Amino acid sequence: MKSPAKPVVLVPACNRVLGNHPFHIAGKKYVDGVRLAQCQPLIVPGVEPDEIDALLDLADGVLLTGSPSNVHPSHFGQEVLDASLPLDPERDAWTLRLIPRVLQRGIPLLAICRGAQEANVALGGTLHQAVHDVPPHHDHRADDSQPVEVQYGPSHDVLVEPGSLLARITGEQRFRVNSVHGQAVDRLAPGVQVQARAPDGLVEAFSIEAAGFNLCVQWHPEWLAASNPISRQLFGAFGEACTAYRDRHRPPPSL
């Protein structure tokens, strides 16, 4: 009997101009995280609304990456606060439609940083555009003058909600995470359950109730994930959920 194919995880691409040409790109660290989850990454450019379900027919999981770009504030009823910060309206145009369909179909979802913010907005929540200007929250941005290993180094604890999905995955009540974001969750979308908070009360992780496996985190577990016990647990749990979804929805391999 043939070995079953690895679960396929869709990784929506960002849009970037390099030189004078537009590119669809996805960070290698996210692709490596999918592979750490024992899944097959599939980087996907933007798709039209009527193509989303056909695309999801191929998927056993979805990973929404972080990005230098922010979700456009028009999607949560605000004007742009700082025009110098990057946006990616092409990504917004389809991921905000994609996320509800992923959850409706029960496809496992792992959303990281921008991806978590996208998920909250897609479901009707709002964001702080500059969380460092909103007391009592702290400055959650990294120091761009520091080497990348310092920027992505441990920054603060997260306090895990007792009995939550995150508590079950990690077995921890608190652990340290990195912090490299300016935007963050303000008002949570309906049906969203907090999984963890920063010491200043900021939502650091959440999930959507009654939608299969899904976890949205504000930090970057993909950074040096293979050497981080918490990251290995998160990607392991995601991979197990993707494998279970594949086994429920794909025919068994032929002899």
Side-chain angles (χ1 to χ4, degrees):
M1 180 179 293
K2 294 181 180 178
S3 299
K6 289 183 177 180
V8 173
V9 172
L10 305 183
V11 183
C14 295
N15 300 274
R16 198 78 48 81
V17 175
L18 302 177
N20 296 316
H21 301 279
F23 284 80
H24 298 296
I25 65 171
K28 181 178 182 296
K29 59 183 178 174
Y30 300 104
V31 172
D32 290 344
V34 173
R35 294 195 183 281
L36 183 63
Q38 301 299 308
C39 296
Q40 173 67 52
L42 178 60
I43 300 171
V44 184
V47 301
E48 297 300 321
D50 61 355
E51 298 172 331
I52 287 176
D53 280 310
L55 177 64
L56 290 179
D57 287 343
L58 306 174
D60 303 305
V62 173
L63 185 141
L64 296 173
T65 71
S67 174
S69 70
N70 291 322
V71 178
H72 199 289
S74 62
H75 294 293
F76 49 94
Q78 296 180 18
E79 300 292 329
V80 173
L81 185 63
D82 184 349
S84 70
L85 297 177
L87 299 167
D88 190 343
E90 292 87 356
R91 173 166 164 168
D92 295 341
W94 79 280
T95 56
L96 296 180
R97 293 187 176 98
L98 173 78
I99 291 163
R101 293 297 300 131
V102 171
L103 296 170
Q104 288 164 9
R105 292 174 63 145
I107 298 172
L109 172 69
L110 179 60
I112 296 172
C113 197
R114 187 200 207 272
Q117 296 164 13
E118 280 176 317
N120 190 51
V121 171
L123 299 171
T126 66
L127 304 176
H128 294 301
Q129 292 188 57
V131 69
H132 42 280
D133 290 334
V134 183
H137 297 308
H138 302 160
D139 191 339
H140 286 253
R141 297 172 296 180
D143 183 349
D144 291 340
S145 69
Q146 295 295 316
V148 66
E149 60 270 18
V150 175
Q151 294 180 42
Y152 280 83
S155 178
H156 63 75
D157 285 353
V158 293
L159 312 177
V160 181
E161 292 291 320
S164 66
L165 172 64
L166 187 60
R168 296 195 298 273
I169 291 172
T170 65
E172 302 289 344
Q173 295 180 329
R174 64 190 299 157
F175 51 85
R176 290 187 69 75
V177 298
N178 50 37
S179 186
V180 293
H181 60 98
Q183 288 198 335
V185 168
D186 178 9
R187 189 186 73 247
L188 281 165
V192 168
Q193 181 180 38
V194 175
Q195 298 284 316
R197 294 184 183 271
D200 64 359
L202 194 71
V203 174
E204 284 282 339
F206 63 88
S207 63
I208 296 85
E209 298 176 9
F213 179 96
N214 64 90
L215 184 63
C216 306
V217 301
Q218 184 56 71
W219 70 93
H220 284 265
E222 82 288 351
W223 175 254
L224 301 180
S227 61
N228 184 304
I230 295 294
S231 296
R232 290 201 307 270
Q233 289 172 317
L234 296 182
F235 281 104
F238 177 58
E240 289 174 4
C242 294
T243 298
Y245 184 91
R246 179 206 62 191
D247 292 346
R248 291 195 304 269
H249 292 86
R250 313 289 172 207
S254 58
L255 295 176

